[in-house]
Amino acid sequence: MDTTIDLAARVGQALKTRGLLLATAESCTGGGVAHAITEIAGSSEWFDCGFVTYSNASKNELLDIAESLIAQHGAVSEEIAGAMAEAAVANSSSHVAVSTTGIAGPGGAVPGKPVGTVCFGWRVADRTYTERLVFAGDRHAVREQTVVHALKGLLKLLSD
């Protein structure tokens, strides 16, 4: 089983080999992806910065996500996850980004978006990829699964 530290180290090696810098834009994980990344010694060689944009206002203020886009799709949507990843690159010195936005629980569910719903965004090689998953478990489990999946997705895209 891949641990977050193992995945972060593999992501770091892939970024370093390609001479790329990473940024994160996180909501439901509250900086968990950036935390995993910075657990790796030497990560300053390939990690630029992280945005923790938990509120809709911070998504707008720090990442320039239009309030109208959030109102149209909801903060937990592939559209917002993609916009977050794109904005993380645009608002930093990074070349690559990963984003997370979701409902970790125990509350917050809305029709069509149960607790455990998480949307991901990845910006790699000037392309944006998104995905929506629903994870099982309590708040801690959802957040942990989200960090692992975010790193696995990044690693896959860097390997393609």
Side-chain angles (χ1 to χ4, degrees):
M1 185 166 109
D2 291 319
T3 67
T4 55
I5 301 303
D6 176 57
L7 287 166
R10 289 168 49 205
V11 164
Q13 187 58 51
L15 290 164
K16 187 176 173 180
T17 298
R18 290 160 182 76
L20 300 173
L21 286 174
L22 172 67
T24 60
E26 303 179 66
S27 185
C28 65
T29 47
V33 177
H35 175 78
I37 294 292
T38 57
E39 284 288 314
I40 307 305
S43 58
S44 60
E45 294 180 52
W46 44 270
F47 181 63
D48 183 43
C49 65
F51 298 89
V52 178
T53 55
Y54 210 71
S55 69
N56 290 347
S58 67
K59 287 174 182 64
N60 174 258
E61 293 164 12
L62 299 175
L63 295 175
D64 303 318
I65 307 295
E67 292 174 7
S68 60
L69 190 65
I70 296 171
Q72 181 181 0
H73 298 286
V76 178
S77 63
E78 288 185 66
E79 291 82 2
I80 298 304
M84 289 170 67
E86 290 168 357
V89 170
N91 290 290
S92 70
S93 297
S94 67
H95 310 97
V96 175
V98 59
S99 67
T100 61
T101 182
I103 305 167
V110 296
K113 296 178 185 177
V115 168
T117 301
V118 180
C119 294
F120 299 86
W122 295 275
R123 181 78 176 166
V124 177
D126 296 325
R127 293 195 57 200
T128 303
Y129 305 87
T130 63
E131 185 175 19
R132 175 185 162 162
L133 296 175
V134 179
F135 295 114
D138 63 11
R139 181 178 183 82
H140 176 76
V142 168
R143 287 165 47 108
E144 193 161 301
Q145 291 170 86
T146 300
V147 170
V148 167
H149 188 76
L151 293 170
K152 281 183 175 180
L154 189 54
L155 190 59
K156 180 184 182 309
L157 290 169
L158 289 168
S159 300
D160 287 348

